[in-house]
């Protein structure tokens, strides 16, 4: 469902998670990947304040199908999107802050995350970073704060069949 001010997306899909494991075969330790299968459903309503500013909610429920997988995952986020923020005639910025709740079987937590992006008009490369901070959580993690930086190449639909 979509109009000028509102968009609602609903979906379902299979998912596979790859986990590295060590196997002992004939006395030799080998690294391999173990797969876990999931089925997920999602709903995402968004309200557009302007064409470049929106607020929304996203909910995902996932069910693990294999022994040892997380049986039930619930993820809900309140998000916003500020895109095409003009910095100059050539450069623009985007900012996507959100807060979310994640529950995986008996463990849960609240988090804040943001995506920041910088791009140049009519240039295929851009830079983006995702920052994630645990607010309160009992989900096992190596760090309460994680981040990355990505260099993105946009194909500008050059490889899309016309």
């Amino acid at each position: 469902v979509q109009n000028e001010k509102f968009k609602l997306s609903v979906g379902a899909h299979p998912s596979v998670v790859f986990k590295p494991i060590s196997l002992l075969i004939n006395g030799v330790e080998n690294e391999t990947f173990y797969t876990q299968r999931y089925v997920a459903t999602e709903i995402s309503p968004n309200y557009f304040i302007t064409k470049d500013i929106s607020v929304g909610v996203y909910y995902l429920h996932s069910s693990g199908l294999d022994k040892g997988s997380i049986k039930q995952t619930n993820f809900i986020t309140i998000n916003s999107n500020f895109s095409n923020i003009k910095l100059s005639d050539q450069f623009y910025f985007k900012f996507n802050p959100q807060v979310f709740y994640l529950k995986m079987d008996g463990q849960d937590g609240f988090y804040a995350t943001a995506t920041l992006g910088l791009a140049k008009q009519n240039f295929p490369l851009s830079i983006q970073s995702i920052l994630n901070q645990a607010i309160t959580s009992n989900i096992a993690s190596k760090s309460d704060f994680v981040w990355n930086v990505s260099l993105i190449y946009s194909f500008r639909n050059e490889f899309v069949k016309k």
Side-chain angles (χ1 to χ4, degrees):
V1 176
Q2 184 172 354
N3 63 37
E4 188 176 307
K5 291 287 187 184
F6 182 76
K7 179 180 179 181
L8 174 65
S9 299
V10 177
H13 55 85
S15 174
V16 178
V17 172
F18 297 93
K19 290 185 168 186
I21 60 169
S22 294
L23 290 178
L24 194 60
I25 302 172
N26 295 328
V28 178
E29 190 171 314
N30 294 289
E31 286 288 320
T32 189
F33 286 94
Y34 171 73
T35 59
Q36 294 177 323
R37 299 169 302 146
Y38 294 86
V39 174
T41 56
E42 56 189 43
I43 185 167
S44 177
N46 282 287
Y47 178 75
F48 293 86
I49 299 166
T50 70
K51 75 175 184 106
D52 294 326
I53 300 173
S54 66
V55 293
V57 175
Y58 174 81
Y59 172 72
L60 176 125
H61 175 81
S62 175
S63 297
L65 302 175
D66 299 308
K67 278 187 175 182
S69 67
I70 296 168
K71 295 303 175 201
Q72 301 294 318
T73 298
N74 289 285
F75 172 83
I76 188 163
T77 181
I78 299 170
N79 56 58
S80 56
N81 178 35
F82 302 90
S83 59
N84 295 315
I85 302 167
K86 191 173 179 179
L87 298 176
S88 71
D89 287 341
Q90 292 290 314
F91 290 92
Y92 61 94
F93 182 72
K94 75 174 182 176
F95 177 54
N96 307 96
Q98 60 182 321
V99 291
F100 66 90
Y101 172 73
L102 175 63
K103 184 172 185 178
M104 299 184 325
D105 290 340
Q107 299 179 332
D108 65 347
F110 287 92
Y111 301 83
T113 189
T115 302
L116 310 164
L118 178 65
K120 184 178 181 195
Q121 203 76 347
N122 299 316
F123 189 70
L125 294 175
S126 62
I127 191 165
Q128 181 172 289
S129 181
I130 301 172
L131 312 158
N132 191 76
Q133 175 66 53
I135 298 169
T136 178
S137 177
N138 62 14
I139 298 172
S141 174
K142 291 181 181 177
S143 175
D144 285 342
F145 178 75
V146 293
W147 63 278
N148 72 0
V149 175
S150 301
L151 183 62
I152 299 167
Y153 180 82
S154 297
F155 288 96
R156 304 268 187 212
N157 297 323
E158 290 178 28
F159 299 105
V160 174
K161 186 176 179 180
K162 295 183 181 186

